Amino acid sequence: DLAGLDFKITMSVGRESGTWMDKSWAASGARLLLPLQCSFTGDELDLGFPGEEALAGRYCRRLDCEGGSFVGPGGTVTVACDGGGWWAAPTGRPGEQSLRFFLDFPAGAERNDVSIPPGRVFFSSALLNGDADDAYDVPASEIYEARGGLKLLNSGGLTIKKNTLLNLWGALGDVNLILGRYSLSGGKTAEAAERTASEASPE
């Protein structure tokens, strides 16, 4: 269970193969890198009707995040975030669960021709709970092992929704646009534990 764990999630926003973002968006090949400290909680979050298709309904668990910053051409840019939600569900494959979460950026962010549009950004990943190392076909280099032995993918994709009249504003299923990728590493708790271990080790 992810509840009680915190992670550093670094968004790498930019043009990816297959995206349906406007042709002028991130056409220069530039990236917007945004590191975020996120805490997964066990508290229930009511998204209201009809909920989120990506999270399989109206209810999920709360994801805490206070935003982050990056260095732009004019200096440091602070990016506000209202937190978000997360949900994990079995995929049908042994030792594997899909992990979906989102963060809300009320004002978005922009760096040159790359932008995070105001609104909700979705993250995709997987939890790998197999008892044996060969329980899933994923290289060890792509796995992050969290506190308590929980394993999950250390990177994944970013998307946003763009529903229009063509899909009846989502009634026929969401239209998702690729926004970039993200990487995951230990958060404040893991960093503090590493510092404690380093200070306790003999020289």
Side-chain angles (χ1 to χ4, degrees):
D1 195 337
L2 284 171
L5 296 179
D6 65 287
F7 300 94
K8 178 182 178 181
I9 295 173
T10 301
M11 298 173 62
S12 176
V13 179
R15 199 152 198 94
E16 300 280 345
S17 176
T19 187
W20 289 357
M21 296 291 285
D22 293 338
K23 291 184 178 179
S24 60
W25 182 84
S28 68
R31 312 288 296 191
L32 190 163
L33 301 179
L34 178 62
L36 303 162
Q37 291 287 345
C38 299
S39 297
F40 288 74
T41 81
D43 298 336
E44 183 178 82
L45 179 65
D46 184 352
L47 301 175
F49 182 81
E52 285 291 358
E53 182 181 82
L55 275 69
R58 175 174 173 175
Y59 298 96
C60 62
R61 297 185 182 185
R62 196 183 78 242
L63 175 61
D64 291 339
C65 179
E66 297 181 353
S69 63
F70 64 90
V71 178
T76 300
V77 178
T78 300
V79 181
C81 179
D82 291 338
W86 68 277
W87 190 251
T91 63
R93 298 176 59 183
E96 181 181 282
Q97 289 181 292
S98 64
L99 172 63
R100 300 287 184 270
F101 56 101
F102 69 83
L103 291 171
D104 289 328
F105 296 93
E110 186 172 346
R111 183 180 185 275
N112 299 328
D113 63 346
V114 186
S115 63
I116 301 173
R120 188 160 286 179
V121 177
F122 294 87
F123 300 67
S124 61
S125 186
L127 296 176
L128 307 171
N129 302 316
D131 294 328
D133 292 339
D134 58 353
Y136 27 77
D137 186 21
V138 179
S141 60
E142 298 179 10
I143 296 175
Y144 175 78
E145 185 167 350
R147 193 174 72 250
L150 182 68
K151 298 178 182 179
L152 61 161
L153 297 182
N154 59 20
S155 63
L158 301 173
T159 58
I160 59 172
K161 291 193 300 187
K162 190 174 183 180
N163 294 327
T164 66
L165 182 60
L166 294 177
N167 70 326
L168 299 182
W169 306 106
L172 301 179
D174 291 332
V175 173
N176 298 296
L177 309 184
I178 300 172
L179 191 71
R181 297 190 61 78
Y182 74 91
S183 60
L184 179 149
S185 59
K188 292 180 179 178
T189 303
E191 292 173 354
E194 290 175 0
R195 286 196 299 270
T196 300
S198 176
E199 292 169 357
S201 63
E203 296 182 357

